[in-house]
Amino acid sequence: MNPILFIVFLPLAAAIIAGLGNRMLGNVVAKSLTTGALFVSCALSWPIFLGFVAGTAEASVTPVLHWVQSGSLSFDWALRVDTLTAVMLVVITTVSALVHLYSWGYMDEDPDQPRFFAYLSLFTFAMLMLVTADNLVQMFFGWEGVGLASYLLIGFWFKKPSAAAAAIKAFVVNRVGDLGFMLGIFGTYLVFNTVSIPEILAAAPSMAGTTIGFLGYRFDTMTVLCILLFIGAMGKSAQLGLHTWLPDAMEGPTPVSALIHAATMVTAGVFMVCRLSPMFATSPTALHFVTFIGAATCFFAATVGTCQWDIKRVIAYSTCSQLGYMFFAAGVGANGAAMFHLFTHAFFKALLFLGAGSVIHAMHHEQDMRFYGGLRKKIPLTFYAMMAGTLAITGVGIVDVFGFAGFYSKDSILEAAYASSTELGTFAFVCGIVAALLTSFYSWRLVFLTFYGKPRWAQSEHIQHAIHDAHGHGEHGYDNHVHGDHGHHDDGTAGYHPHESPLTMLVPLGVLSLGAVFAGFLFAHSFISDGEGEFWKGSLAFSEHLIHHMHRVPTWVKWAPFAVMLTGFAVAWNNYIRRPGAPAAFVAQFSLLHRFVFNKWYFDEVYDFLFVRPAFWIGRLFWQQGDVGIIDRFGPDGAAWVVAQGSRVAQKVQTGYLYSYALVMLLGLVGAVSWVLWS
């Protein structure tokens, strides 16, 4: 049997069994089943990917079943495997398998583990369906599947109000993007009379220059279709304007954050744009739009990340920024570089999130970095893993020698933007350089606040609760998370000893660390250095002209990312190691700027004013005035009132006396006879 069937459907089978079996199966069986299925899928995915890297594999389509036949609309459920799919397969299955294993330790005390692992596997299946899609409807099925699974996982702790609200926010914001995606699919079928992706891509060049009616006007056909499709990507991949759900998604368990941000959901938009890149290549306007949104998102998210205190939110805004890099790479035509950064980003971003989860686990679920400090000696393995991720995301490396994963992929995007020689390409390059500076600053800020300096644990309510409960005075069950000795100490730690995570959490950190260190060095040639474009073999639009110019940019362009990386490191070191009081002085001097950035440019407040409050006002109006005041009043409530009044009248007729009933019968008889005689 074709291995792709096992890769895709094993996670689904595991999710169904674990989800329906739930507590009847028990934690160990459910976890073993789902984790084992993902490791099998991962083991089957890597040979496929390496086959494409070696040039020995060929694209294939595996039919599953005939799906829809309605008039001219006809398509099968089939699994397409080409280079683009192979890259996504290893990203999804590798990260998901490691997240499953990591969750053994992180979710060990949760009473509802089978449901959690079933959701993880369902999420993975939906993403696999998306990336193996041979037609747009099948892609939309996977697209909505990851949206559903993200809602379930973000709101997994549904008794926590903030988690439930974050899940709803993610679901609603993504529906806005999905409306654009649906309109794009409808329009594509209208224009091409098919939903088959290969047929659409083959026919796309012939539609360049044609027009289509939309919203009462005539527009360029491919521009309309591509922008509508990209709006879907903006929602799913949290681009500027539809990004507000992503930071709030941190309310879910940390393994969920790693899976959403590294391997599923947020990368779906980048994959879709690259998959349909021959369509986008026919519309310069659409490419310019993608470039601008990507560059603006890259800069915006990096600025917000510099001010966050929650360790997971810093990494979340980092994801938003890195996705901006991927999109403006696709916008300038460097689709190979965009996919390369998606590939390397999966390793170091999953590593950073899972490393943050290890820190949170050690600090008794405290996420505020102001209550960390001095952890490198307490949790050394986690520290080294986080250092590997930080070196990768900041792009540490020496040109033409060696670098960590982000050094190769991010630098290639910046070189492509510069080499595109367009105004928007230059704009993207400048935004990318500034974002690289800010990325280095907030990444090293996270490291210094967390692992260096004096311990600040005594100020944390979570730690105080942990110590309190460990001495037998609590009621909330925190004692299950507390390890080590609890006595009085004079180092400001209030008697709490952070502990290293269990092996099930450390092994995934070790594996991902290898990816963060070597993924760029090992695969750079295949993704971006092959002048003939043989690696991609027609699976995405590939510009040999741009690749040629990328490698011949001026020397200062090649060294600029390295220079801003060092600058960001130096600023962070000066402000959080050498002069710890400097940040407070800066905030006091530039309070308006800090407030603007700290409040995320006030996007949430503006959306609340423009959309949320009016929506609630309209809802209350229809509820109180329409539903209750009109429909209920004159409908069921009105009918009930008439019946009640009629019952009271009829009740007076029921006297219980025989002569009264005889009189009524006599009157009725007289009336009936009179009517007959009269008529």
Side-chain angles (χ1 to χ4, degrees):
M1 187 178 288
N2 195 319
I4 189 62
L5 295 174
F6 287 101
I7 293 171
V8 173
F9 291 108
L10 273 178
L12 175 63
I16 292 173
I17 295 171
L20 296 180
N22 209 292
R23 297 184 184 181
M24 182 178 67
L25 292 177
N27 291 343
V28 175
V29 174
K31 292 190 294 187
S32 300
L33 182 66
T34 52
T35 306
L38 260 299
F39 271 96
V40 171
S41 292
C42 178
L44 294 173
S45 297
W46 274 96
I48 295 175
F49 170 69
L50 294 176
F52 281 100
V53 171
T56 58
E58 295 291 337
S60 64
V61 177
T62 303
V64 177
L65 53 85
H66 186 65
W67 199 0
V68 170
Q69 175 67 58
S70 177
S72 62
L73 180 63
S74 177
F75 55 88
D76 296 337
W77 188 354
L79 307 178
R80 168 169 290 275
V81 178
D82 55 13
T83 308
L84 195 60
T85 305
V87 172
M88 296 303 297
L89 288 180
V90 294
V91 167
I92 296 165
T93 58
T94 301
V95 174
S96 184
L98 294 173
V99 166
H100 275 72
L101 179 60
Y102 179 93
S103 300
W104 279 60
Y106 193 86
M107 302 295 291
D108 185 53
E109 302 297 333
D110 196 278
D112 212 359
Q113 294 176 56
R115 180 168 64 91
F116 178 77
F117 280 83
Y119 287 170
L120 285 183
S121 294
L122 179 64
F123 203 158
T124 307
F125 163 73
M127 191 64 188
L128 290 170
M129 282 301 304
L130 192 157
V131 300
T132 57
D134 190 46
N135 60 74
L136 291 177
V137 178
Q138 187 178 330
M139 180 181 285
F140 187 72
F141 171 80
W143 192 272
E144 293 302 301
V146 294
L148 168 65
S150 68
Y151 171 79
L152 297 173
L153 284 168
I154 295 169
F156 176 75
W157 289 321
F158 55 86
K159 294 182 180 179
K160 182 181 175 185
S162 58
I168 293 173
K169 186 175 183 179
F171 198 80
V172 171
V173 173
N174 271 276
R175 297 292 72 73
V176 176
D178 291 350
L179 174 62
F181 191 49
M182 284 191 291
L183 291 175
I185 293 175
F186 297 155
T188 302
Y189 174 70
L190 179 67
V191 170
F192 294 98
N193 200 34
T194 181
V195 292
S196 171
I197 293 174
E199 294 178 15
I200 292 169
L201 299 185
S206 65
M207 296 305 300
T210 62
T211 61
I212 189 174
F214 182 67
L215 299 178
Y217 297 92
R218 303 294 298 184
F219 297 99
D220 180 79
T221 301
M222 298 309 296
T223 298
V224 170
L225 297 182
C226 291
I227 289 179
L228 287 173
L229 293 168
F230 179 66
I231 289 173
M234 288 175 63
K236 200 64 70 180
S237 295
Q239 292 301 283
L240 190 65
L242 295 178
H243 67 280
T244 53
W245 67 270
L246 192 63
D248 289 21
M250 298 302 97
E251 292 292 338
T254 300
V256 173
S257 303
L259 194 58
I260 289 177
H261 286 248
T264 61
M265 191 154 179
V266 296
T267 60
V270 179
F271 168 81
M272 185 268 288
V273 171
C274 289
R275 168 62 82 199
L276 302 180
S277 55
M279 278 184 70
F280 282 81
T282 63
S283 172
T285 303
L287 289 178
H288 292 163
F289 183 67
V290 173
T291 303
F292 176 78
I293 293 295
T297 304
C298 178
F299 172 75
F300 154 77
T303 63
V304 178
T306 61
C307 296
Q308 299 301 304
W309 293 112
D310 186 313
I311 187 172
K312 287 172 64 176
R313 284 181 180 263
V314 173
I315 305 173
Y317 277 106
S318 167
T319 299
C320 198
S321 181
Q322 299 303 310
L323 289 165
Y325 277 104
M326 299 175 206
F327 276 114
F328 79 66
V332 299
N335 294 288
M339 287 304 301
F340 187 30
H341 197 51
L342 186 154
F343 178 76
T344 60
H345 176 263
F347 291 103
F348 62 72
K349 187 49 58 69
L351 175 61
L352 287 170
F353 265 115
L354 297 185
S358 185
V359 173
I360 294 167
H361 183 269
M363 296 302 293
H364 194 73
H365 301 282
E366 177 60 73
Q367 295 181 196
D368 194 324
M369 296 185 296
R370 287 172 290 190
F371 304 134
Y372 289 170
L375 288 174
R376 71 183 187 279
K377 294 181 180 179
K378 300 292 184 180
I379 47 174
L381 297 178
T382 299
F383 166 68
Y384 291 128
M386 289 289 283
M387 281 296 293
T390 301
L391 292 169
I393 194 173
T394 56
V396 174
I398 300 176
V399 177
D400 297 328
V401 179
F402 178 79
F404 290 80
F407 169 76
Y408 293 94
S409 58
K410 186 160 64 176
D411 285 19
S412 68
I413 289 175
L414 293 171
E415 291 166 9
Y418 182 87
S420 66
S421 301
T422 63
E423 291 183 2
L424 273 174
T426 303
F427 170 74
F429 173 76
V430 173
C431 288
I433 287 293
V434 175
L437 170 66
L438 298 176
T439 299
S440 179
F441 170 74
Y442 67 65
S443 297
W444 290 111
R445 171 179 178 263
L446 183 153
V447 170
F448 294 146
L449 283 173
T450 303
F451 297 104
Y452 289 85
K454 294 181 179 180
R456 301 179 296 276
W457 318 328
Q459 305 167 35
S460 168
E461 277 187 38
H462 292 277
I463 303 302
Q464 293 301 321
H465 277 302
I467 298 168
H468 182 69
D469 294 344
H471 285 83
H473 303 296
E475 300 176 355
H476 305 292
Y478 288 116
D479 51 299
N480 290 330
H481 297 282
V482 180
H483 303 277
D485 299 325
H486 302 276
H488 180 74
H489 298 270
D490 297 324
D491 59 357
T493 63
Y496 182 74
H497 279 222
H499 53 92
E500 191 61 274
S501 299
L503 200 60
T504 52
M505 295 172 65
L506 293 176
V507 169
L509 292 181
V511 175
L512 291 169
S513 296
L514 294 176
V517 175
F518 296 110
F521 175 76
L522 293 176
F523 297 106
H525 178 77
S526 296
F527 279 87
I528 57 173
S529 298
D530 189 353
E532 300 299 321
E534 285 298 319
F535 178 66
W536 295 111
K537 295 181 179 177
S539 62
L540 51 72
F542 190 92
S543 173
E544 293 184 18
H545 175 77
L546 184 60
I547 291 293
H548 175 78
H549 286 280
M550 276 175 58
H551 299 302
R552 287 161 179 78
V553 296
T555 303
W556 71 267
V557 174
K558 290 180 176 291
W559 284 95
F562 182 79
V564 296
M565 179 273 298
L566 284 181
T567 303
F569 170 82
V571 173
W573 177 82
N574 180 69
N575 286 275
Y576 294 97
I577 299 296
R578 181 170 173 265
R579 298 172 57 213
F586 178 87
V587 170
Q589 186 174 2
F590 300 98
S591 57
L592 289 177
L593 175 63
H594 176 266
R595 191 178 303 117
F596 177 73
V597 176
F598 182 75
N599 286 286
K600 302 160 288 189
W601 294 26
Y602 291 100
F603 269 97
D604 283 301
E605 288 78 5
V606 171
Y607 285 178
D608 181 68
F609 178 77
L610 292 179
F611 303 115
V612 178
R613 293 183 187 180
F616 274 104
W617 181 83
I618 293 172
R620 283 191 292 268
L621 175 67
F622 280 107
W623 170 37
Q624 294 289 352
Q625 305 301 321
D627 193 11
V628 176
I630 298 176
I631 297 175
D632 286 351
R633 182 180 179 184
F634 296 104
D637 290 349
W641 181 84
V642 171
V643 171
Q645 294 304 314
S647 298
R648 292 190 183 95
V649 174
Q651 188 179 24
K652 294 178 180 179
V653 179
Q654 304 296 325
T655 63
Y657 295 108
L658 182 60
Y659 57 81
S660 297
Y661 300 150
L663 177 62
V664 171
M665 293 173 64
L666 179 61
L667 292 174
L669 180 61
V670 170
V673 171
S674 300
W675 180 77
V676 171
L677 292 175
W678 178 262
S679 63

